[in-house]
Each structure stands twice: as structure tokens, then as C-alpha cells.
Amino acid sequence: MEDTYSFDKFCELLSDEDILRTSTAFGVAKKFQTLILDIKSQVLKELMNRTENQDVYLDFLVNEIEKQDYVKDAGINYINSWLKEYSISIDAILEDEDHKEPIFAVLDRHYNDMEPFSAEKDKALLLQTDFLNYFCCKYANQLIEFLKSKMPKAKPQEPAQIPIVNNKPFKDEYLTVFCKEISDERAVRETSFMQLYDCGLTHYTPYLESEITENLLILDNDKKEDYLSYVLDKVTKTPFASISNDFIDKYIQEYDVDINDFPNFKNKELNDALETYYQGMHYTTHQEQHKLLCIQIDFYCYASMLEVKKIIAFIETKSEKTNTNINLMKEEISEPISKLKWLGKTSQLGFIISSLTDLGYIEAPLRQNGDINYTQFAKLVKQTFDIDTTESTLSKYLNTDSEKGQEPMRKFEQNGFNIPHKNIVS
């Protein structure tokens, strides 16, 4: 497109985590609608002027949208509890021009105008954040669907011209699905940990063991060790295979339960948290919402690690020669990544790291528009420091322009905090 303003603005809106400071969730939805109309016209004009590489051009646009930092699985489930509370449908919200429905008092009102730290403001921020995630996902998918619909139709080929090649001498269907099931921690947003544990995390382990046994029976002797090494490599490279055995100890201590009872503990509060559908719950505060999500994600990661260890132990019984490789892999996944223990508060860490960035000592990750990507920044800080907080909370304290980021700044400045700029002491 010769004029890419609307498309660039659309992508920028998808990734703008601070947009609610200047707009409302409903206002963002309206911006998306306006931008999409303009983008569609620009795309159609561009396709008319192109005689080749139309598919490459459309693929590029789709890729640009998909690489933006927004919640890509934020379906209607993200806002169902709010729709039920206000007895309204999403279509009625999008079609209401008069804003007479009660939900608009929260959905299309700047929460920064509300009384700080009030229950009203907490609810408005929570509702608008959920709707913002939903709108970003909805309109991103809408535009992607339009772009894909304009892809040039491929010319059909004769069946004889398409060779069918299967070079694998073994089955790996259950290996593939096993690795997928233990790698998608975001799935807890759609259901509950216990549902995933019973129907996904542990469901495919015995099937994978049977598949391994069957493959060993049909493979030539000189191929068996290579196959077992292949399976080991796949399962040990899943995202949570290397987490430590004490990964959920803070919850074990908080709820005073026995780890040997995992995951069916003798504590009703913990069991209820693990069985709660994240999107089906109505939350009073952000803290309550984040705590439930953190518990379920952490238990998911821990359970994934346990399933990997089960497969490693099973493979260990199948080959003496492979035991050397297994022992090496065991050592790799049992050694937790060392982190610096942070003894202060989350707000203090966020302010200090942010200050070091402003003073030239640290380079923060940036978005395409040059602004700091606080979501990615928080992720990197969490990978470096051992601190009991969420990435979402930490990202707010890293952003000293945010309301939360202002609090520690005032306290540090009142106490004479000062670090010279890197260039001054160089």
C-alpha cells in the first residue's frame, strides 16, 4: 500500500498496552472499525495495481498483524461474565449508538477520571481490560480473514504430479500431541487446570508409551536407539521440562499441603482454585484475577514437567545404551536456571531497573514505534531475578509514567535516591 498510515495505526493499536490511559475500550473498538474500512480499500486498490506477488504482499500483511503483542485467544469467553452481569449481548453493545445501557457507564468512561484506588475504578479497569483484549482479538481476526480471502486461488494439480512421500519408519502421532498438550500454558485461560490435567496433560502419556513400544517392535535393531534419542530430544525440549522440583513450593507452604497429594490436595481453597474456570469467574479485583491465573499456570508447568519425567523414566527401561543420554538429559532438566534473589518489593525492583534504563545502563526491548515494550521487559527481568510477582504487575512498576510507577518514584526521590547517568561517570 502506498499509504500505510491506517494499517500501521491498526498494528500499533493492537500492541498499545497503555491505550486505556487515553481512550476507552469501546472507543478503541470504534477506531478498529474505522481503520479496517480504510485498510480494505487500500488493499483492494493495491491488488488491482499488482500483476504478481499478490500472495507475498498479503502474507506480509497477515504476518505483520500476527506478530503484534495482543492476546490472540481472547474470544467471547473473555467477556462472558460481564455480558451476563449487565444482561446484554456483544452485538447490542456494538450497535448501541445512544449508550443508554448501564454497561456504558463503565465501558466507555475514562477510568482515570474515577476516584483513585476506589472499587469503582478497579471494576472499570478490569472490565475495560477484558473488553480491550476481546476487541483486539476480534478485529485482528476480522482483518486477517479478509486478507486471506483475497489470496490468489492456486491452480489445481493432477494427483499424479503430487508425490506422496513418508520417510518416517515409525509413528509419532501421540508424540506430537503429547508435546503439544504439555506446552500450551495459555490454555488455562479457556478452562481450568484440573480439566487440562485430567483430559490433556496426563491423558496422552500412556498412549505415547504404547506408541513407543509399538515402534520398537517394528524398527530394525540399528534404528531403535536413534528413535529413542529422537523421542527424548522432543520431550526434553518442551518449554517446562527443565523447571525445578520446588517450582510450586510457595503454594505448598501457603496452603499447608503435602506435595505427595498432587494435584488432589487436602485443602478445599487450593482445590477450588485449581478447579475454577478462569473466564467463568467474576473477580472483585485485579489481584484476585492474577492470583488465580498464576496458580493455574504454575501448576500446569509443574504437571508438564512431571509428565516429561514419566516418559524419560519409561524410555530408560527400554534401552541400556540410551541410559547415558538419559542421565545427561536428566541432569540438564533437573538443574534450575540460577536467578538473583530479590529481597525488596516489586515496586522497588521496577523503579530501580527503570531508572537504570533511563540512565543508559540497561537497554530495554522496544516496540516498532520506538516505545519500550514493558510486557517483554518484565519477562526479561523475571528471568533474571527470583521475585514473587507476576509479569503484569512488574510491567506496571517498570513504566514510571503509569500510576503504579509513580508511587515508588516519589518515595525514592524523597529519600535522596540518585544514580549519575552512565555518560557522567564514564
Side-chain angles (χ1 to χ4, degrees):
M1 292 180 290
E2 293 180 4
D3 180 10
T4 63
Y5 172 80
S6 294
F7 184 77
D8 293 341
K9 188 63 179 176
F10 183 90
C11 292
E12 182 182 324
L13 268 180
L14 285 178
S15 297
D16 191 348
E17 59 186 16
D18 294 323
I19 188 62
L20 290 181
R21 294 180 60 196
T22 57
S23 183
T24 66
F26 187 76
V28 173
K30 289 300 181 182
K31 288 180 183 178
F32 276 133
Q33 293 172 4
T34 301
L35 291 170
I36 284 180
L37 289 175
D38 195 30
I39 293 169
K40 286 182 177 180
S41 296
Q42 293 172 355
V43 169
L44 292 173
K45 181 180 178 181
E46 182 72 19
L47 292 176
M48 289 174 60
N49 295 331
R50 282 177 175 264
T51 56
E52 56 184 18
N53 293 332
Q54 292 183 335
D55 55 339
V56 176
Y57 162 69
L58 292 168
D59 274 334
F60 168 76
L61 296 181
V62 170
N63 184 66
E64 286 296 301
I65 297 171
E66 291 180 338
K67 76 178 186 181
Q68 300 307 312
D69 187 17
Y70 66 97
V71 182
K72 296 177 175 59
D73 59 354
I76 194 70
N77 54 298
Y78 256 60
I79 57 174
N80 263 337
S81 60
W82 300 111
L83 298 177
K84 291 178 182 177
E85 178 177 344
Y86 288 95
S87 300
I88 193 171
S89 68
I90 185 61
D91 290 335
I93 290 175
L94 293 174
E95 294 169 4
D96 190 341
E97 297 295 338
D98 298 327
H99 291 196
K100 294 180 180 179
E101 294 292 339
I103 194 172
F104 283 101
V106 186
L107 180 61
D108 199 23
R109 179 183 173 191
H110 290 281
Y111 72 88
N112 274 331
D113 296 338
M114 301 179 183
E115 182 182 349
F117 310 111
S118 65
E120 179 189 30
K121 183 172 182 178
D122 283 342
K123 180 176 182 179
L125 178 57
L126 191 62
L127 180 146
Q128 292 212 29
T129 299
D130 287 343
F131 270 88
L132 176 64
N133 286 327
Y134 169 76
F135 288 140
C136 286
C137 183
K138 171 185 173 66
Y139 291 111
N141 289 341
Q142 186 180 116
L143 185 52
I144 289 173
E145 184 178 350
F146 167 77
L147 294 171
K148 288 185 175 180
S149 72
K150 300 304 174 185
M151 290 284 186
K153 300 293 188 295
K155 294 181 179 180
Q157 291 180 300
E158 295 294 328
Q161 295 177 316
I162 305 175
I164 300 175
V165 179
N166 185 3
N167 293 324
K168 288 183 181 177
F170 55 83
K171 299 178 181 178
D172 64 354
E173 287 85 356
Y174 283 113
L175 173 60
T176 300
V177 73
F178 172 85
C179 291
K180 179 181 178 181
E181 288 293 328
I182 65 171
S183 301
D184 185 15
E185 82 283 5
R186 295 176 68 89
V188 299
R189 293 178 178 271
E190 306 292 336
T191 176
S192 69
F193 163 75
M194 286 305 302
Q195 181 73 14
L196 289 173
Y197 183 80
D198 293 332
C199 301
L201 288 168
T202 60
H203 178 75
Y204 292 101
T205 303
Y207 290 100
L208 176 55
E209 291 176 351
S210 297
E211 183 177 84
I212 292 171
T213 301
E214 182 180 348
N215 284 331
L216 291 175
L217 289 174
I218 63 176
L219 284 170
D220 294 337
N221 288 334
D222 62 342
K223 299 293 184 183
K224 292 181 180 181
E225 300 300 337
D226 290 337
Y227 165 69
L228 291 175
S229 295
Y230 169 77
V231 176
L232 277 174
D233 182 67
K234 286 289 187 181
V235 298
T236 56
K237 284 183 178 177
T238 51
F240 314 113
S242 60
I243 67 171
S244 61
N245 290 322
D246 61 357
F247 189 73
I248 59 171
D249 276 8
K250 61 183 178 182
Y251 301 114
I252 300 303
Q253 295 170 10
E254 178 182 349
Y255 293 98
D256 190 24
V257 293
D258 187 345
I259 188 64
N260 294 317
D261 293 331
F262 181 89
N264 300 301
F265 299 103
K266 298 174 182 176
N267 182 295
K268 185 177 185 303
E269 184 181 357
L270 178 57
N271 288 341
D272 287 346
L274 297 176
E275 293 174 357
T276 297
Y277 277 62
Y278 175 72
Q279 290 299 333
M281 180 75 175
H282 182 73
Y283 306 96
T284 305
T285 65
H286 265 305
Q287 289 77 11
E288 181 186 1
Q289 182 184 30
H290 284 305
K291 182 175 182 180
L292 180 66
L293 182 60
C294 287
I295 288 176
Q296 296 215 15
I297 288 179
D298 286 349
F299 274 75
Y300 176 97
C301 297
Y302 183 78
S304 296
M305 178 269 290
L306 293 181
E307 295 309 302
V308 170
K309 286 192 171 183
K310 287 180 186 177
I311 295 301
I312 291 175
F314 177 79
I315 294 176
E316 193 171 10
T317 66
K318 298 298 178 181
S319 170
E320 293 183 4
K321 183 178 177 182
T322 311
N323 281 348
T324 302
N325 292 334
I326 291 176
N327 290 333
L328 289 173
M329 291 181 177
K330 274 185 175 180
E331 291 176 6
E332 290 178 3
I333 68 172
S334 62
E335 284 295 323
I337 299 174
S338 298
K339 295 183 180 181
L340 296 171
K341 180 68 176 178
W342 181 256
L343 302 179
K345 296 181 179 179
T346 303
S347 59
Q348 296 166 342
L349 176 63
F351 173 74
I352 291 173
I353 294 297
S354 180
S355 297
L356 292 173
T357 302
D358 294 338
L359 296 168
Y361 294 95
I362 294 176
E363 184 178 57
L366 302 177
R367 300 184 183 279
Q368 285 184 326
N369 61 5
D371 293 337
I372 293 177
N373 185 335
Y374 288 103
T375 301
Q376 184 63 27
F377 198 8
K379 187 185 296 292
L380 293 174
V381 174
K382 278 273 288 179
Q383 290 173 359
T384 306
F385 291 93
D386 180 5
I387 180 172
D388 185 15
T389 187
T390 64
E391 291 175 6
S392 176
T393 298
L394 182 56
S395 69
K396 291 180 175 63
Y397 285 118
L398 285 168
N399 182 2
T400 53
D401 291 331
S402 69
E403 186 174 327
K404 282 189 174 292
Q406 291 289 315
E407 299 170 14
M409 177 187 291
R410 288 191 291 269
K411 293 180 181 178
F412 272 90
E413 290 178 348
Q414 289 170 2
N415 287 274
F417 177 82
N418 178 57
I419 296 178
H421 194 278
K422 178 190 69 172
N423 295 339
I424 296 177
V425 294
S426 296

